[in-house]
Amino acid sequence: MSNENLDQNLNDSQNAEPLIDTFDLIFLLIAGAVAVVYIYKDAIFGNKKISTAQPAPISNSTLKPAGPPKKNKDFLKRMRDTDKNVILFYGSQTGTAEDYASRLAKEGQQRFGLKTMTVDVEDCDMTLLDKFENDYIAFFIMATYGEGEPTDDAVDFWELITTESPEFSEGIPVEEKPLSSLRYVVFALGNRTYEHFNAVGRTVDKKLTEFGASRIGERGEGDDDGSLEEDFLGWKEDMWKAVCEAMQIDQSEVKTGDRISAYKITELETFDSNNVYYGEYNEHSLMINSIRPTYDAKNPYPAPITITHDLFKSTIRNCVHLELDIEGSGINYEAGDHVAIWPMNAEQDVVRLLKILGLWEKRDTVVSVESTDSTVSKKYPFPIPTTYATIFRNYLDIHIPTSRQFIANLANFAPTEEGRSKLTALGQDKEAYRVQVSDAHLTLAEVLESISPDGNPLNSIPLDLIIETLPRLQARYYSISSSPKSTPTSIHVTATVLTFNPSTAPQKTVYGLATNYLLQVSRVLRSIPHPESLPSYLYSGPRNKYCDEATSKIMLPIHVRHNNFKLPKDLKTPVIMVGPGTGIAPFRGFVIERAHYKAQGEKVGDTVLFFGCRRRDEDFLYESELNELFATLDKSGKLITAFSREQSQKVYVQHKLREHDEYVWDLLYNRGGYFYVCGDAKNMARDVNSGLIQIAQLCGAMDEITATNYVKDLRSKGRYLEDVWS
């Protein structure tokens, strides 16, 4: 409605004659009140009549499940009720921080007699930290995600401690040190290839100290770029000494008791087969015709694959392109977001582990697995009841190299003295472990086979120890390579298939778990034979739910994680993108989006892509499509390529960046452009960062310190963004 019409209506109402007089108005009000009292007489005066009618039966096709009861977030009450004196909070994205928290809790209990409990930080009311008792100790095992971001489960805690004026339960101002009774230990997990290495753990440590808390021992820092386990092992011994001193525990009198099982495993003779989990992630997956749930990290969506093909022209390597249909799922995304794909372990690995543990004949036996500690926030490690085969196929990561501490623990259960000595040596000798296990990518099945040369099953290995130690099988994240401006109901994935021969075991081939899973699915959909020598997967999923025979489509369980790796809101802002190899994935989405607006007649700023690969005729990803997109962008678009193996001296994107230094500097410094990097963090991203500093020195007449600070300032302002991996 226009303002002119609104004013006219107001004038008309002011000049109108009254429609009813005062008496009529009073009569209507009384009549209305009587009617309301009559209608709601039972609620007002009470109804003593007891109904004897039985409720109608409820079908899961008509009612969405209520879900688990609301969790009690008062962790202090739980500690008091269960007589605990140590609590281990964790913030975990992939399960590693959770695993370390559980390991520390068990070690503290068994070695030092501490009364421990582990909790996910999102399950706790962290404003209660100001009521923490001074004879308790809190551990914070905090992972950093991406560019200094908290993990999904730690967002609320992060917002609490980083807000300008944090409010704890007693309302004491931070300058008066509200956490003065809190004693804590902190271990930070991250990846050194990122600029904001361990930012979350470091910030938690800093803020707790600012609020009056006292740290026990040194802050631990783990680097996921190859040394995380050794960082953890090296830190915790000195940490335990400090904790024992704080808790007045005489380590000389500590006796290591018998091992305490973390989980109770029960084989079920009677069960409802409809309620058995064969790889499903939650109760929604077991229900028929349930109301559509929300699809997220706890409930992935089975997305049909509509299109797939191989992007490489070479027959030696593979790069899979997949298009996933999300229509009707309620999932939305933006260019630059990540899609998480939930893989499964290869059948060869599942069979191998079941056989060496003596569980092959019982692989389909239905079991329940339950924590023996009633105080843990997660009573079950994965959905139960389930089967032995499903545990190894869908719920535990049996593909990773076995940790040194796990090998040391396994030595206690070796069936022979020779096997015990071998495992003990590997558990104690860091260098021998690195060469023989870590660098050789030796899985648990391979480690166990090495102490059973005759291939006899090792029935002495406790399954609960394996469940306790191996991390949960987690989703793998991929940069989405499409834009919702072009394909709003389709998510595209670009994944190079990982295959390599370890330097210390060149006779062995290691296959990337998720990418080889995608490769097999892609081959099945294209009716290409899959060699028996390659990993095979039960791609049809639990109860064949991931395979639609009617449409010949295969589905992948996915969810979307939103990201800060985004195009600037102003279309006229220049963007510079550096993405060699599959680092092109998010930039394909960016270029599609900019070309979309350009085709609609919008004014679009300079769109520059530095792309690199080995050879133009081998692995130039999306070559023809990129040429068309940049033709649409016309003068505002520029595709700059580097083919490393087409000449005697290798040329990479970082070299091309320097070749165009004046142009890059003009876009960044004079025209307020944004700079993006996606791909290898260890080498390429570091070299690009160094190259940009050199450009600032050369083109901006800056010294090294000023140039370095300039690039850092671009990052802090969100104009230099990275989406990189090790």
Side-chain angles (χ1 to χ4, degrees):
M1 180 182 292
S2 69
N3 290 335
E4 182 180 353
N5 288 337
L6 179 60
D7 291 340
Q8 182 62 49
N9 288 342
L10 287 173
N11 290 332
D12 289 345
S13 65
Q14 289 170 353
N15 296 329
E17 291 293 328
L19 297 177
I20 56 175
D21 59 23
T22 303
F23 179 82
D24 291 334
L25 179 61
I26 294 174
F27 176 81
L28 289 173
L29 289 173
I30 294 174
V34 171
V36 169
V37 170
Y38 179 79
I39 293 171
Y40 294 102
K41 63 182 184 298
D42 289 341
I44 298 173
F45 301 108
N47 187 349
K48 305 301 182 183
K49 190 181 295 183
I50 300 175
S51 173
T52 58
Q54 296 297 316
I58 298 175
S59 166
N60 66 11
S61 64
T62 59
L63 181 65
K64 185 176 180 178
K70 192 173 182 180
K71 293 178 180 177
N72 177 11
K73 294 198 171 188
D74 188 342
F75 61 88
L76 289 173
K77 183 177 186 303
R78 289 170 59 190
M79 290 182 72
R80 288 190 292 267
D81 290 348
T82 55
D83 191 28
K84 304 296 182 183
N85 58 5
V86 175
I87 186 168
L88 296 99
F89 300 105
Y90 62 83
S92 187
Q93 191 71 26
T94 64
T96 306
E98 178 183 0
D99 172 53
Y100 281 171
S102 298
R103 287 167 60 178
L104 290 171
K106 186 174 181 181
E107 189 173 352
Q109 182 181 5
Q110 292 191 183
R111 287 181 61 186
F112 310 110
L114 297 171
K115 301 171 183 178
T116 62
M117 64 182 288
T118 60
V119 289
D120 191 328
V121 70
E122 76 171 340
D123 294 333
C124 302
D125 179 1
M126 301 305 284
T127 65
L128 297 174
L129 284 175
D130 59 348
K131 293 183 178 180
F132 206 78
E133 299 185 21
N134 55 19
D135 57 346
Y136 287 173
I137 289 181
F139 282 63
F140 292 86
I141 316 300
M142 308 300 297
T144 298
Y145 181 85
E147 287 294 332
E149 301 167 34
T151 54
D152 290 345
D153 57 351
V155 169
D156 290 343
F157 178 46
W158 179 258
E159 291 178 352
L160 169 68
I161 63 172
T162 57
T163 189
E164 188 173 343
S165 300
E167 293 186 8
F168 294 95
S169 64
E170 297 290 339
I172 300 174
V174 294
E175 57 269 18
E176 296 182 21
K177 310 297 184 185
L179 305 187
S180 57
S181 64
L182 173 65
R183 298 185 298 171
Y184 71 94
V185 173
V186 63
F187 184 77
L189 300 85
N191 192 304
R192 196 174 294 277
T193 57
Y194 286 89
E195 181 187 10
H196 303 288
F197 174 57
N198 280 340
V200 173
R202 291 177 178 181
T203 301
V204 167
D205 185 20
K206 176 185 176 183
K207 290 296 182 180
L208 292 179
T209 301
E210 284 182 10
F211 304 155
S214 302
R215 189 184 68 223
I216 297 173
E218 295 297 320
R219 178 181 69 235
E221 296 212 351
D223 181 9
D224 193 36
D225 187 24
S227 63
L228 180 58
E229 179 70 11
E230 292 302 328
D231 294 337
F232 175 71
L233 296 178
W235 162 78
K236 70 184 182 70
E237 287 308 314
D238 287 339
M239 177 275 296
W240 282 129
K241 293 176 183 177
V243 168
C244 286
E245 182 178 346
M247 298 294 281
Q248 298 182 348
I249 297 172
D250 187 349
Q251 284 188 277
S252 63
E253 297 181 0
V254 171
K255 297 180 180 179
T256 304
D258 295 334
R259 174 179 172 270
I260 301 173
S261 297
Y263 294 102
K264 177 184 177 183
I265 301 170
T266 306
E267 295 184 355
L268 305 181
E269 295 182 359
T270 59
F271 52 86
D272 182 350
S273 60
N274 293 321
N275 292 330
V276 176
Y277 290 87
Y278 290 101
E280 296 90 349
Y281 298 102
N282 52 58
E283 71 276 7
H284 290 296
S285 303
L286 297 182
M287 300 179 69
I288 301 174
N289 299 325
S290 63
I291 297 175
R292 191 189 76 195
T294 299
Y295 295 109
D296 53 23
K298 295 180 180 179
N299 184 38
Y301 172 67
I305 302 171
T306 55
I307 295 174
T308 180
H309 55 266
D310 202 317
L311 293 168
F312 285 168
K313 301 179 182 70
S314 167
T315 58
I316 301 175
R317 298 184 299 144
N318 299 95
C319 184
V320 177
H321 172 87
L322 295 167
E323 300 185 11
L324 305 170
D325 184 3
I326 56 171
E327 186 171 10
S329 67
I331 295 174
N332 59 74
Y333 75 99
E334 295 182 58
D337 283 344
H338 291 157
V339 60
I341 297 178
W342 292 73
M344 60 185 72
N345 289 305
E347 285 302 291
Q348 292 94 324
D349 294 338
V350 175
V351 172
R352 192 173 191 174
L353 190 51
L354 285 169
K355 286 185 174 180
I356 194 62
L357 291 173
L359 295 172
W360 176 247
E361 300 300 329
K362 300 198 299 180
R363 59 189 179 279
D364 295 325
T365 299
V366 177
V367 297
S368 174
V369 182
E370 183 176 349
S371 174
T372 58
D373 185 351
S374 61
T375 66
V376 296
S377 57
K378 294 183 179 179
K379 189 175 182 181
Y380 309 108
F382 35 71
I384 56 101
T386 185
T387 67
Y388 287 122
T390 303
I391 291 173
F392 293 141
R393 179 183 297 117
N394 299 95
Y395 298 139
L396 295 181
D397 194 340
I398 65 174
H399 179 262
I400 60 170
T402 314
S403 72
R404 185 160 65 89
Q405 184 168 352
F406 190 15
I407 288 177
N409 292 337
L410 287 171
N412 299 320
F413 305 98
T416 65
E417 186 59 39
E418 182 181 359
R420 186 177 298 109
S421 298
K422 179 176 182 178
L423 295 182
T424 300
L426 286 174
Q428 294 176 348
D429 189 330
K430 291 171 59 175
E431 184 61 17
Y433 166 80
R434 182 190 67 78
V435 173
Q436 298 179 43
V437 181
S438 179
D439 288 356
H441 204 94
L442 225 58
T443 65
L444 174 60
E446 291 171 314
V447 168
L448 296 179
E449 286 173 349
S450 72
I451 61 170
S452 179
D454 297 330
N456 295 324
L458 302 180
N459 299 307
S460 59
I461 307 296
L463 180 59
D464 67 277
L465 175 63
I466 293 173
I467 294 174
E468 172 192 349
T469 308
L470 286 181
R472 306 297 169 257
L473 190 58
Q474 298 289 334
R476 269 54 172 179
Y477 290 83
Y478 299 89
S479 298
I480 295 175
S481 57
S482 55
S483 166
K485 296 294 183 288
S486 174
T487 54
T489 61
S490 180
I491 288 175
H492 297 185
V493 178
T494 307
T496 297
V497 179
L498 176 64
T499 303
F500 67 94
N501 301 102
S503 58
T504 62
Q507 74 286 355
K508 174 184 176 181
T509 301
V510 177
Y511 299 94
L513 175 64
T515 56
N516 278 277
Y517 170 49
L518 298 181
L519 176 62
Q520 180 184 345
V521 170
S522 177
R523 282 176 166 163
V524 169
L525 287 170
R526 292 182 287 152
S527 301
I528 297 176
H530 192 77
E532 292 184 3
S533 59
L534 297 182
S536 61
Y537 303 84
L538 195 65
Y539 63 84
S540 58
R543 295 181 170 87
N544 296 319
K545 290 181 179 179
Y546 297 163
C547 188
D548 189 340
E549 294 183 0
T551 61
S552 298
K553 288 184 179 178
I554 296 176
M555 288 159 267
L556 295 175
I558 69 163
H559 72 268
V560 167
R561 177 181 166 87
H562 299 297
N563 196 345
N564 292 326
F565 198 77
K566 294 285 183 291
L567 283 167
K569 293 182 179 179
D570 187 349
L571 284 173
K572 296 186 291 295
T573 302
V575 296
I576 302 168
M577 302 164 285
V578 184
T582 51
I584 197 177
F587 302 141
R588 176 177 180 257
F590 284 7
V591 174
I592 288 173
E593 193 155 310
R594 303 273 278 199
H596 168 81
Y597 284 114
K598 181 75 173 180
Q600 290 185 334
E602 299 279 355
K603 187 174 181 180
V604 177
D606 284 41
T607 304
V608 184
L609 172 61
F610 288 87
F611 171 74
C613 61
R614 294 182 180 182
R615 302 181 61 88
R616 183 189 303 270
D617 60 353
E618 182 179 301
D619 52 359
F620 191 165
L621 303 181
Y622 303 111
E623 179 181 7
S624 60
E625 180 185 24
L626 287 173
N627 288 333
E628 291 178 9
L629 290 168
F630 277 95
T632 301
L633 289 168
D634 197 21
K635 294 180 181 179
S636 66
K638 188 181 290 291
L639 174 61
I640 302 170
T641 55
F643 304 108
S644 63
R645 301 191 181 184
E646 287 192 352
Q647 56 281 313
S648 58
Q649 186 175 1
K650 291 184 178 178
V651 176
Y652 298 113
V653 287
Q654 47 267 43
H655 300 133
K656 290 293 183 178
L657 192 69
R658 289 294 308 276
E659 286 182 18
H660 295 80
D661 51 8
E662 293 286 353
Y663 180 48
V664 169
W665 182 249
D666 179 56
L667 293 181
L668 282 178
Y669 189 79
N670 298 320
R671 296 161 63 183
Y674 278 50
F675 193 80
Y676 300 86
V677 183
C678 182
D680 167 50
K682 188 177 295 185
N683 298 308
M684 182 275 297
R686 287 181 179 178
D687 289 346
V688 167
N689 184 79
S690 299
L692 198 56
I693 292 173
Q694 292 171 3
I695 290 174
Q697 290 178 261
L698 181 65
C699 302
M702 300 178 181
D703 58 35
E704 185 176 357
I705 294 176
T706 305
T708 301
N709 289 335
Y710 171 74
V711 173
K712 286 184 177 180
D713 189 54
L714 287 178
R715 290 179 182 272
S716 65
K717 291 179 178 178
R719 288 177 52 207
Y720 186 142
L721 296 165
E722 289 183 315
D723 184 0
V724 295
W725 57 84
S726 300

